[in-house]
Amino acid sequence: MSKNYFNGQGKIYLGQRDANGNPLAMKYVGNAPEFKFSLEESTQEHKESTSGLRLTDLRLTTELKAGCNMTLEQLDADNLNLMLFGVSGTQATSAVTGETIEGSTTPAVGDIYLLDSQNIAALVIKDSSGSPKTLVAGTNYSADTNAGQIELLDVTTGGPYTGPLKADYTRTGATTYTKLFAAGAVEYWLRFVGVNTAVSGSPPVIVDLYRVRLSPAQEMALINDDVAKFPLEGSVLADATKTAAGVFGQFGRIIMLA
C-alpha cells in the first residue's frame, strides 16, 4: 500500500463569476503561506422515550456548510480591494494652484499639514497676506513630497505669515489609492493548484471552490518585524447553478491528477 502523505504548497487564484456560475478571468493572489477549507455538519439528536434509558435513536443532519481561510502577503491594488471591500483609483497628473492647507489658519512651528495629493513636485507654499509671502523650503518648512505633507520649521524668518497657508504644486501621477468599504461583497470562484512536497514526483492537486464569499481582512498589520500577513476568512456557499449529482457537485471539488 502506497503512503500518500501530503505536505502542500501552491498558488491561489480568484475570479468573479458570471450569472451562470462560470469563472471569469482569474487573478493570482501572490504568495500565500496558509490556505485551508473546512466542512461542518450541524445535527440534532433524538432520544426515544419508551425504554426508560433515553437512548439516542436518531441523528438528523440540519445543516451542511463550508468555510475557507487563507493568509495573503502580496500588497497590491487587487488584493487591497479584496481585503478591504475597496475600490481603487489613480491620481491623475495635473497642476494644483492655491490649495488651502487645512488647519494652517494660525501657522506654528512643529505643525504638520497634509496636502490633498501625494507624489508631488514643484511645491511652493505661500501665505494669505495681501501680497502673499513665499515660505522657503528648508528654512520655514520641510516637505515630504511622496507623502504630500509639510512640517513648519520657522514662522519668523521672512514673516510674519498670515494663515491659512496655500500650496501650488504638480501631481506627478503614478499613485493608486484604495477606498475602504467602498464596494459591496463579491462572490468568487477560488482555485488552488498545489504541489505535494511530502512525496517526490506527486502530481498536482487542484481544488475548486465555486462560490466563495470572503469577509474583510481580520487585520491590517502595517508595522512588523517580519513580512506582513493578511488573514482572510469566508464562507463556501452552495452553487445553485450546479447539482449535487453532477461532476462538479454544489460546493467544490478536489482533483487528483494521474
Side-chain angles (χ1 to χ4, degrees):
M1 181 181 194
S2 61
K3 296 180 179 179
N4 293 324
Y5 299 129
F6 185 79
N7 179 268
Q9 290 194 320
K11 294 183 176 181
I12 299 170
Y13 304 88
L14 288 172
Q16 295 189 30
R17 296 155 35 95
D18 67 16
N20 297 316
N22 300 310
L24 300 175
M26 309 289 283
K27 292 185 180 296
Y28 171 47
V29 301
N31 193 64
E34 180 178 341
F35 168 64
K36 57 186 177 182
F37 69 92
S38 58
L39 305 178
E40 183 178 341
E41 178 194 29
S42 296
T43 62
Q44 180 179 337
E45 293 186 341
H46 176 267
K47 294 180 181 180
E48 55 81 25
S49 55
T50 58
S51 69
L53 298 176
R54 295 180 175 85
L55 302 175
T56 299
D57 64 353
L58 181 65
R59 177 183 170 106
L60 291 173
T61 297
T62 59
E63 182 181 19
L64 295 173
K65 63 180 181 179
C68 68
N69 298 74
M70 70 188 81
T71 300
L72 306 185
E73 292 181 332
Q74 179 81 7
L75 194 65
D76 57 25
D78 287 331
N79 279 2
L80 283 173
N81 287 337
L82 179 72
M83 295 185 288
L84 306 175
F85 284 11
V87 172
S88 292
T90 56
Q91 174 182 283
T93 301
S94 61
V96 175
T97 303
E99 178 184 301
T100 298
I101 300 177
E102 300 298 335
S104 65
T105 302
T106 307
V109 171
D111 285 351
I112 297 173
Y113 301 118
L114 308 185
L115 304 176
D116 290 343
S117 307
Q118 293 73 44
N119 270 0
I120 63 174
L123 175 64
V124 177
I125 304 295
K126 298 179 181 179
D127 78 343
S128 290
S129 56
S131 297
K133 302 184 183 77
T134 300
L135 283 71
V136 178
T139 298
N140 300 117
Y141 69 94
S142 63
D144 183 339
T145 54
N146 289 325
Q149 63 187 55
I150 65 170
E151 178 179 359
L152 292 187
L153 306 174
D154 179 351
V155 293
T156 302
T157 302
Y161 298 103
T162 302
L165 302 178
K166 304 274 181 83
D168 300 336
Y169 56 84
T170 300
R171 296 189 182 108
T172 62
T175 299
T176 300
Y177 58 85
T178 302
K179 300 179 288 184
L180 281 65
F181 282 136
V186 176
E187 293 180 358
Y188 296 95
W189 184 298
L190 183 151
R191 167 162 285 193
F192 168 74
V193 180
V195 294
N196 182 5
T197 64
V199 180
S200 178
S202 291
V205 175
I206 299 171
V207 176
D208 280 324
L209 304 176
Y210 314 132
R211 192 177 166 215
V212 174
R213 202 290 208 174
L214 294 170
S215 297
Q218 299 170 24
E219 61 181 15
M220 294 288 292
L222 298 179
I223 296 179
N224 321 82
D225 290 328
D226 197 358
V227 173
K229 302 183 188 306
F230 308 105
L232 287 173
E233 64 179 28
S235 299
V236 182
L237 305 175
D239 186 349
T241 67
K242 300 170 179 61
T243 64
V247 295
F248 282 88
Q250 285 191 291
F251 286 88
R253 62 179 181 172
I254 298 177
I255 303 168
M256 307 288 288
L257 299 184

